[in-house]
C-alpha cells in the first residue's frame, strides 16, 4: 500500500462527484480495499506524512475512509484525532499549499469533523485564508461550526456513539437536520 494507491483510488475511481455521497457499493469497496491499511494507520501514516502526497493519503485514510467503511458506527470517528494531528502537521509543513486546490480541502476537513469549537473556527479560517475559491467548502465549514456552537456536538452522531439525544437535538433532527440546513430550509438561532 502506497500513498499513490490511496490518492489514485480517491481521485480516479471514486471521483469528485462521489466524494461526499455514500453508497453501500462504495462503502464496501473502500472497506474491502483499505480496511487493512486503516488498521495499520499509525504505522503507515508515520511512513507517509513527510510529503504532500503522503500527508494527503494519510488524512484520507484516517478521516474520509472510516466514514465510509463504518457508516453509522462509532468506528467512523475512531481515527479522527489522528487525522487532525496529521492535518495540522501537513499545514505546518506547508504540504497543503503544494496540493491541487481540489484535493487541498481534505487537509482541512478533519477540523470540520471535530466536535471542538476551536477546531471548527480553525477550519473556517483555513478555508477563508488558504482555499478562498472553495466557497461551498467554506459554507459547509460555517454550518458545521454553527451546529457545534448550538449543540456542542453533532446530533446526527448520537446513535452511533450511544449518546442520548437531547430535546433540542431531536427537534433539529426532526426538522431535517444538516440536510435541511444545506437546502436553506433550516437555520440555527445565533448562527454566524
Amino acid at each position: 500500500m502506497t500513498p499513490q494507491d490511496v490518492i489514485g483510488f480517491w481521485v480516479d475511481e471514486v471521483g469528485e462527484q462521489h466524494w461526499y455521497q455514500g453508497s453501500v457499493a462504495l462503502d464496501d469497496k473502500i472497506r474491502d480495499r483499505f480496511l487493512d491499511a486503516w488498521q495499520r494507520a499509525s504505522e503507515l501514516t508515520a511512513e507517509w506524512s513527510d510529503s504532500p502526497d503522503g500527508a494527503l493519503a494519510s488524512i484520507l485514510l484516517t478521516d474520509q475512509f472510516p466514514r465510509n467503511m463504518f457508516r453509522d458506527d462509532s468506528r467512523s470517528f475512531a481515527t479522527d484525532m489522528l487525522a487532525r494531528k496529521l492535518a495540522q502537521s501537513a499545514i505546518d509543513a506547508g504540504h497543503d499549499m503544494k496540493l491541487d486546490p481540489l484535493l487541498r480541502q481534505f487537509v482541512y476537513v478533519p477540523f470540520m469533523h471535530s466536535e471542538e469549537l476551536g477546531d471548527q473556527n480553525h477550519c473556517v479560517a483555513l478555508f477563508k485564508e488558504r482555499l478562498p475559491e472553495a466557497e461551498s467548502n467554506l459554507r459547509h465549514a460555517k454550518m458545521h461550526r454553527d451546529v457545534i456552537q448550538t449543540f456542542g456536538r453533532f446530533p446526527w452522531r448520537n446513535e452511533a456513539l450511544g449518546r442520548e439525544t437531547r430535546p433540542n437535538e431531536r427537534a433539529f433532527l426532526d426538522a431535517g437536520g444538516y440536510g435541511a440546513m444545506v437546502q436553506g430550509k433550516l437555520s440555527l438561532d445565533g448562527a454566524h
Side-chain angles (χ1 to χ4, degrees):
M1 181 71 54
T2 68
Q4 289 68 35
D5 294 330
V6 172
I7 296 169
F9 170 80
W10 194 243
V11 172
D12 300 329
E13 293 185 48
V14 176
E16 181 181 5
Q17 67 276 14
H18 299 289
W19 285 344
Y20 296 109
Q21 297 177 359
S23 72
V24 172
L26 178 59
D27 293 353
D28 289 345
K29 184 184 274 191
I30 292 175
R31 190 178 315 104
D32 290 346
R33 192 164 317 168
F34 296 101
L35 178 60
D36 289 340
W38 180 81
Q39 291 171 329
R40 297 177 38 227
S42 293
E43 168 196 339
L44 290 175
T45 60
E47 293 174 16
W48 294 350
S49 60
D50 61 350
S51 70
D53 283 350
L56 174 63
S58 296
I59 293 163
L60 291 171
L61 181 65
T62 56
D63 184 67
Q64 292 297 311
F65 288 6
R67 283 166 167 74
N68 290 92
M69 291 188 292
F70 309 116
R71 191 173 303 280
D72 302 321
D73 181 303
S74 63
R75 291 174 293 174
S76 295
F77 321 111
T79 50
D80 280 7
M81 188 178 298
L82 176 57
R84 284 192 304 276
K85 179 182 172 198
L86 293 164
Q88 191 57 56
S89 293
I91 293 163
D92 292 345
H95 292 326
D96 59 322
M97 300 307 289
K98 295 174 184 163
L99 294 169
D100 180 290
L102 187 60
L103 295 174
R104 189 181 312 154
Q105 65 183 302
F106 295 106
V107 178
Y108 310 145
V109 168
F111 301 105
M112 191 185 309
H113 288 157
S114 173
E115 291 188 319
E116 297 294 327
L117 185 56
D119 289 334
Q120 292 294 326
N121 288 328
H122 186 44
C123 183
V124 169
L126 287 166
F127 277 113
K128 280 183 181 177
E129 297 164 12
R130 298 172 85 98
L131 199 58
E133 64 273 23
E135 293 175 15
S136 177
N137 291 104
L138 178 58
R139 180 174 171 256
H140 284 280
K142 288 178 178 180
M143 286 189 290
H144 278 76
R145 180 186 62 191
D146 292 344
V147 170
I148 295 301
Q149 283 178 324
T150 301
F151 302 108
R153 61 190 189 175
F154 294 123
W156 53 84
R157 291 185 186 176
N158 288 347
E159 187 174 335
L161 293 173
R163 300 188 300 213
E164 188 171 329
T165 300
R166 302 174 194 133
N168 64 338
E169 294 173 332
R170 174 56 47 215
F172 169 73
L173 294 170
D174 288 348
Y178 188 75
M181 289 178 69
V182 171
Q183 295 170 0
K185 297 177 181 176
L186 179 63
S187 65
L188 298 173
D189 292 337
H192 303 292

